Amino acid sequence: MGSDRAFKDAIYEQIARVGRAVDHPRRLELLDLLCQGPMTVEQLARKSAMSVSSTSQHLQHLREARLVRVEHRGTFRVYELTDEATCELFRTLRGLAQRYYAEMSAITEAFLRDREALEALDTVALQQRLTQESLTLLDVRPTEEYAVGHWPGAVSLPVEELAGRLAELPKDQTIVAYCRGPYCVLSLHAVEMLRKNGYRAIRLADGVSDWKAQGFPVVGVKGVS
Amino acid sequence: MGSDRAFKDAIYEQIARVGRAVDHPRRLELLDLLCQGPMTVEQLARKSAMSVSSTSQHLQHLREARLVRVEHRGTFRVYELTDEATCELFRTLRGLAQRYYAEMSAITEAFLRDREALEALDTVALQQRLTQESLTLLDVRPTEEYAVGHWPGAVSLPVEELAGRLAELPKDQTIVAYCRGPYCVLSLHAVEMLRKNGYRAIRLADGVSDWKAQGFPVVGVKGVS
DNA sequence: CCATTAATCAATGGATTTGTTGAATATAGT
DNA sequence: ACTATATTCAACAAATCCATTGATTAATGG
């Protein structure tokens, strides 16, 4: 019954559903956040500095495309990525942007230079330094993200609490702070504050999903309910 | 100078450039075609059944996102994918659509059932059958696509010329026809015509870029000028 | 320099998408 | 049942995107 043309139109329309879901900066930010683990609408709204209503609508857009699914829990709705492939999609798009657009590194370098924060480790460099010296690994994301998955042995210390809990950290070791990934600013602020207070500190550019994709171990607290 | 928020906005805006390039069915069709090799605007327009003007505009959209680049050759402009990663992007999106949307297989199966063409090989199955019997591999795409890259040993016989050149084909061997990929209809028509004329024929679902991605060999004619 | 061919540009109206606002819904606890 | 909280829904104006049409540019061959 369907003509060749109608068939092709239908197929490409389906593929475009994926594209349309990731054609908006805010939706990409939501995906990036959801790569850290399941979150409620309100959490996502706060972390992305969007209104709840707007967040909800974008989430429904993502849901239409099956990139995320929702679970009702009391009056909350917990959104999460459909599966690993969704996180991989985000990483693929981010990688292509890095690869193709000079603006990407220009923006990043200008921003980091202003903050004297160009220096950073990647996962491989970290792995190597860990064989040579003893480091303190600091996860500065909110605790619920730490709970979902973190570097084995990393200490959880959300950046908002950092100022009040500096005393917990050793001054004789270099502190490596990480957060959500190369474009997340939490570890930036953490390193800045640590250095101001006389600590030796450096940022890890990669986030959990990055090193997980590279095959490095991630530990999480199971059965969060 | 830039605030955290401005930085994030700028970054996600860059990533969204990729997404916006692939949010339209017609642009995905163009990418799919360009996975077969470089083509002029007029070729792309014809193969996608779009107007030249519309094709040109979509190509510029793709070019803005650096997914394709253009080379001037006389009064022609030859568009081609920027690199392998662009083809991989298309295959990723197509894969997610297959994975997430039941509509994808529903559409395909309904279409194929109508044509009694559900039966098909994939690359692995072909490889295996090649060890057991002698098959004729038929590349039914236009010759210029065959020239860019094809299965080693495949015979080029564009589907439009098939009717007039049936005599060139052996009746004692099964003929395996392939084209651009799982959603291309060329091999469908080829198999239909072959069977009507008493040949044993079957479709290969995968296309060149699919088996190339799986590590199978592809041969092409170098130095096309 | 003119004609031809290939492709882009420009302008149009129509359709889709977006952010905002405030109202509606749904669940849990009292 | 009433209240509070979390989220979605509905509606609207602003912005963006799209296909079509016809004009324009650019290169080639005479």
Side-chain angles (χ1 to χ4, degrees):
Chain A
M1 56 169 190
S3 72
D4 286 2
R5 193 62 246 167
F7 170 67
K8 281 191 196 173
D9 284 349
I11 290 295
Y12 289 115
E13 173 58 33
Q14 292 301 312
I15 306 178
R17 285 171 74 183
V18 183
R20 269 198 300 276
V22 293
D23 73 354
H24 196 287
R26 293 281 160 283
R27 282 194 285 275
L28 289 162
E29 183 163 6
L30 291 175
L31 280 185
D32 199 1
L33 286 167
L34 286 168
C35 281
Q36 309 301 312
M39 296 180 198
T40 69
V41 178
E42 195 273 336
Q43 284 178 317
L44 286 162
R46 184 161 30 79
K47 292 177 187 183
S48 66
M50 283 195 269
S51 75
V52 168
S53 185
S54 195
T55 304
S56 172
Q57 279 170 236
H58 280 302
L59 285 169
Q60 281 167 69
H61 208 139
L62 289 171
R63 195 155 74 117
E64 195 287 324
R66 310 287 153 81
L67 300 191
V68 307
R69 61 197 151 133
V70 66
E71 199 177 308
H72 294 234
R73 197 167 295 173
T75 92
F76 293 88
R77 306 217 170 163
V78 180
Y79 279 86
E80 68 184 322
L81 298 186
T82 301
D83 55 34
E84 278 301 310
T86 316
C87 184
E88 263 316 296
L89 171 63
F90 174 76
R91 289 173 29 78
T92 298
L93 295 170
R94 196 188 63 184
L96 285 173
Q98 285 167 344
R99 181 191 190 109
Y100 290 146
Y101 311 142
E103 293 91 322
M104 240 353 223
S105 43
I107 292 165
T108 310
E109 273 164 37
F111 182 75
L112 294 179
R113 195 177 350 260
D114 283 355
R115 269 137 251 259
E116 290 165 10
L118 283 172
E119 196 190 4
L121 299 176
D122 62 16
T123 313
V124 175
L126 169 65
Q127 190 81 340
Q128 196 194 339
R129 272 187 70 165
L130 277 171
T131 66
Q132 297 168 347
E133 61 184 304
S134 172
L135 301 169
T136 297
L137 251 171
L138 205 60
D139 187 320
V140 297
R141 297 173 300 160
T143 52
E144 72 268 14
E145 298 177 27
Y146 174 87
V148 173
H150 56 84
W151 188 281
V155 174
S156 173
L157 210 176
V159 75
E160 306 105 42
E161 304 176 20
L162 184 55
R165 294 173 53 187
L166 280 171
E168 299 174 22
L169 298 169
K171 283 224 164 176
D172 58 334
Q173 278 187 5
T174 295
I175 297 167
V176 178
Y178 72 81
C179 48
R180 294 176 185 131
Y183 303 110
C184 176
V185 297
L186 298 181
S187 63
L188 228 64
H189 294 311
V191 166
E192 187 180 23
M193 166 162 297
L194 288 167
R195 287 188 175 165
K196 248 185 213 147
N197 287 273
Y199 292 86
R200 253 183 307 140
I202 188 169
R203 211 159 47 80
L204 176 65
D206 297 331
V208 174
S209 53
D210 298 311
W211 69 64
K212 195 193 261 175
Q214 289 173 64
F216 288 98
V218 171
V219 301
V221 178
K222 312 286 177 192
V224 185
S225 74
Chain B
M1 52 168 194
S3 72
D4 286 1
R5 193 63 246 169
F7 170 66
K8 281 190 196 172
D9 284 350
I11 290 295
Y12 289 114
E13 172 58 34
Q14 292 301 311
I15 305 178
R17 285 171 73 182
V18 183
R20 270 198 299 276
V22 295
D23 72 356
H24 196 289
R26 294 279 159 288
R27 282 194 285 276
L28 288 162
E29 182 164 7
L30 291 175
L31 280 184
D32 199 1
L33 285 167
L34 286 169
C35 281
Q36 310 300 314
M39 296 180 196
T40 67
V41 177
E42 196 273 335
Q43 284 177 316
L44 286 163
R46 184 161 32 77
K47 293 176 186 183
S48 65
M50 283 194 270
S51 75
V52 169
S53 186
S54 196
T55 304
S56 173
Q57 280 170 235
H58 280 301
L59 285 168
Q60 280 167 70
H61 209 138
L62 289 171
R63 195 155 72 116
E64 195 285 325
R66 311 287 153 79
L67 300 190
V68 307
R69 60 196 151 130
V70 65
E71 200 177 307
H72 294 235
R73 198 168 294 172
T75 94
F76 294 88
R77 305 215 173 166
V78 180
Y79 279 84
E80 66 184 322
L81 298 185
T82 301
D83 54 34
E84 279 300 310
T86 315
C87 184
E88 264 315 297
L89 171 63
F90 175 77
R91 288 172 29 77
T92 298
L93 295 170
R94 197 188 63 185
L96 286 173
Q98 285 167 345
R99 180 191 191 107
Y100 290 145
Y101 311 142
E103 293 93 321
M104 249 338 235
S105 43
I107 292 165
T108 310
E109 273 164 37
F111 183 76
L112 294 180
R113 193 174 355 255
D114 283 354
R115 271 136 249 262
E116 291 166 12
L118 283 173
E119 196 191 5
L121 299 176
D122 63 14
T123 314
V124 176
L126 169 65
Q127 190 80 341
Q128 197 194 338
R129 272 189 70 164
L130 277 171
T131 65
Q132 297 168 348
E133 61 185 303
S134 172
L135 302 168
T136 297
L137 251 171
L138 204 61
D139 187 320
V140 297
R141 298 173 301 161
T143 53
E144 72 268 15
E145 297 177 26
Y146 174 87
V148 173
H150 56 85
W151 187 281
V155 174
S156 173
L157 209 177
V159 76
E160 306 105 42
E161 303 177 22
L162 185 54
R165 293 173 55 187
L166 280 170
E168 298 174 23
L169 297 169
K171 284 225 166 174
D172 57 334
Q173 279 186 4
T174 295
I175 297 167
V176 178
Y178 71 81
C179 48
R180 294 176 184 131
Y183 303 110
C184 176
V185 297
L186 298 181
S187 63
L188 230 63
H189 294 311
V191 165
E192 187 181 21
M193 166 162 297
L194 287 168
R195 288 188 175 166
K196 245 184 216 149
N197 286 274
Y199 292 86
R200 253 185 305 140
I202 188 170
R203 210 158 49 79
L204 176 65
D206 296 333
V208 175
S209 51
D210 297 311
W211 69 65
K212 195 194 260 177
Q214 288 172 65
F216 289 97
V218 171
V219 301
V221 179
K222 312 287 178 191
V224 186
S225 75

